[in-house]
Amino acid sequence: MFIGSYAITMDAKGRMAIPAKVRDTLASVCEGRLVVTAHTEERCLLVYPEPQWLDLQPKIEALPNIHRKARRMQRLLLGYATPLELDGNGRVLLPQTLRDYASLEKKLMLIGQGKKLELWSESGWRQELDTGDDDESMPEEMLSLSL
């Protein structure tokens, strides 16, 4: 559903205009209703169409929170989850807590990831592209969970 990358801007109030191509897809998939939350491994935000989030949320809640990584995942994904809706101009207002988490300022990158999008600061995205992978082991339950 969501592919491509888009350079976008955010105003001083935290509003950002969703590109028309993405906005059209969001309108057809979720009538402009989104859930935005923190990424668990990188300092960016995950943007889900509401139906995708509603499918994913029970899986996150069902993770075995006895494991520290699973607990952290739940805290970030559920704790930062914020329902949002596109306004009449195709904009969304990001709460300050989400902007702070991802160090978002004026210049942003919106990155399609299939069923969801990622929202990065422009500098954070460039740094991510230049960073190599680290091979960290994860619990089997997390490997089977597609975020």
Side-chain angles (χ1 to χ4, degrees), residues 46-100:
L46 299 172
V47 181
Y48 290 95
E50 185 181 63
Q52 291 292 333
W53 175 257
L54 293 176
D55 287 343
L56 181 60
Q57 184 176 344
K59 296 174 186 175
I60 298 166
E61 292 170 351
L63 288 173
N65 64 8
I66 190 104
H67 193 282
R68 188 175 190 283
K69 269 195 164 283
R71 209 169 42 246
R72 176 175 163 72
M73 176 181 270
Q74 289 171 323
R75 286 175 178 156
L76 290 172
L77 290 171
L78 299 173
Y80 278 98
T82 305
L84 300 173
E85 194 165 345
L86 293 176
D87 69 13
N89 295 321
R91 297 176 305 185
V92 67
L93 175 63
L94 290 173
Q96 188 67 49
T97 54
L98 290 173
R99 289 184 271 157
D100 290 345

Side-chain angles (χ1 to χ4, degrees), residues 23-70:
R23 189 172 56 235
D24 292 344
T25 303
L26 289 171
S28 67
V29 170
C30 62
E31 298 176 357
R33 290 187 309 273
L34 316 168
V35 175
V36 181
T37 192
H39 194 292
T40 61
E41 301 297 322
E42 285 98 17
R43 287 295 181 146
C44 71
L45 301 178
L46 299 172
V47 181
Y48 290 95
E50 185 181 63
Q52 291 292 333
W53 175 257
L54 293 176
D55 287 343
L56 181 60
Q57 184 176 344
K59 296 174 186 175
I60 298 166
E61 292 170 351
L63 288 173
N65 64 8
I66 190 104
H67 193 282
R68 188 175 190 283
K69 269 195 164 283

Side-chain angles (χ1 to χ4, degrees), residues 88-138:
N89 295 321
R91 297 176 305 185
V92 67
L93 175 63
L94 290 173
Q96 188 67 49
T97 54
L98 290 173
R99 289 184 271 157
D100 290 345
Y101 178 84
S103 301
L104 300 181
E105 294 178 359
K106 185 174 182 167
K107 293 183 176 187
L108 309 174
M109 290 297 296
L110 187 64
I111 311 298
Q113 294 292 292
K115 294 181 180 182
K116 67 179 182 303
L117 297 140
E118 290 180 347
L119 183 63
W120 290 83
S121 68
E122 184 182 65
S123 61
W125 177 244
R126 287 186 180 164
Q127 183 178 355
E128 176 64 21
L129 293 177
D130 293 337
T131 303
D133 292 335
D134 60 354
D135 191 19
E136 211 174 291
S137 64
M138 288 190 208

Side-chain angles (χ1 to χ4, degrees), residues 9-17 91 93 99 105-106:
T9 57
M10 180 173 60
D11 69 15
K13 294 180 181 179
R15 293 177 300 197
M16 62 175 200
R91 297 176 305 185
L93 175 63
R99 289 184 271 157
E105 294 178 359
K106 185 174 182 167

